[in-house]
Amino acid sequence: AGSAPFKYYKGFTTEGGMNVPLIISGPGVANKESINDSFFTLLDLAPTFYELADADYPEEWNGKVVKPLLGASLLPVLKGEKQAIHAEDYVFGMEHNGYAMLRKGNWKLLNTKRPFELKNFELYNLETDLSEQQDLKEAKPEKYQELLLEWDKFSKQVGIVSPTPKQGEGIK
């Protein structure tokens, strides 16, 4: 009930497990009484903090090359310069506790079945189905394939092992 009208709850990659409010106030924040429902992620907080601190993210740490920060600063939205920080073609993906999701614009691939297998991904249009009730995988095969290709790129970029090993079996 705590995540209604969304599907499931914390621990899942559904909107019920990931969609949370954020309240930001302080000097320089435009439209303090407005609500912005644009998409951003936890990955956008670090770039925001670096920009607020007028600091640069290191390219190297202790002699090792550091992976670049993912995400974008929220400051243009907070200052009222932009309505959203990510373009419609922005791709965000994640794997969490054996579940997975990938979002591109209002489209979302979702996998909440174990063990993780690509064939278990479902497709949702969050613009019309924020509660993730109507799987559009069969009705929108081109969009489904497009997002599966995005998942492949994302999973290679971050090193996701697929399918996930069964409990008790290590990665070989």
Side-chain angles (χ1 to χ4, degrees):
S3 67
F6 304 120
K7 186 175 190 174
Y8 299 146
Y9 41 85
K10 294 296 170 213
F12 284 89
T13 52
T14 60
E15 292 301 291
M18 300 174 23
N19 197 327
V20 296
L22 173 66
I23 299 171
I24 299 177
S25 185
V29 175
N31 305 322
K32 292 182 182 177
E33 295 180 17
S34 69
I35 295 175
N36 182 310
D37 61 358
S38 65
F39 179 74
F40 68 91
T41 77
L42 187 63
L43 298 177
D44 299 321
L45 294 180
T48 304
F49 299 150
Y50 273 96
E51 188 173 351
L52 283 169
D54 197 25
D56 293 322
Y57 183 73
E59 293 179 17
E60 191 177 296
W61 181 259
N62 288 336
K64 295 182 181 178
V65 175
V66 176
K67 288 187 177 189
L69 267 182
L70 300 176
S73 173
L74 296 171
L75 288 186
V77 170
L78 296 176
K79 292 178 179 178
E81 298 166 357
K82 288 180 156 182
Q83 186 61 29
I85 58 170
H86 296 295
E88 278 296 311
D89 61 351
Y90 175 73
V91 175
F92 171 75
M94 68 178 290
E95 181 276 334
H96 172 67
N97 201 23
Y99 305 124
M101 63 78 66
L102 182 123
R103 183 168 168 169
K104 182 176 184 181
N106 286 319
W107 290 96
K108 182 176 179 181
L109 273 183
L110 178 63
N111 192 331
T112 58
K113 295 179 182 159
R114 291 184 178 153
F116 176 86
E117 294 181 295
L118 290 177
K119 68 180 182 179
N120 292 332
F121 269 115
E122 300 167 347
L123 177 68
Y124 297 98
N125 183 337
L126 299 178
E127 185 174 16
T128 58
D129 184 18
L130 199 55
S131 59
E132 300 164 322
Q133 297 299 310
Q134 186 178 1
D135 182 3
L136 299 173
K137 176 168 51 175
E138 301 296 328
K140 301 283 186 182
E142 300 86 18
K143 182 57 75 172
Y144 181 71
Q145 289 302 315
E146 174 191 339
L147 293 184
L148 281 178
L149 289 173
E150 294 287 1
W151 174 260
D152 185 58
K153 285 192 276 186
F154 166 76
S155 61
K156 287 176 181 171
Q157 176 188 11
V158 299
I160 293 175
V161 176
S162 174
T164 54
K166 292 183 177 153
Q167 192 169 12
E169 294 179 10
I171 298 173
K172 297 174 182 169

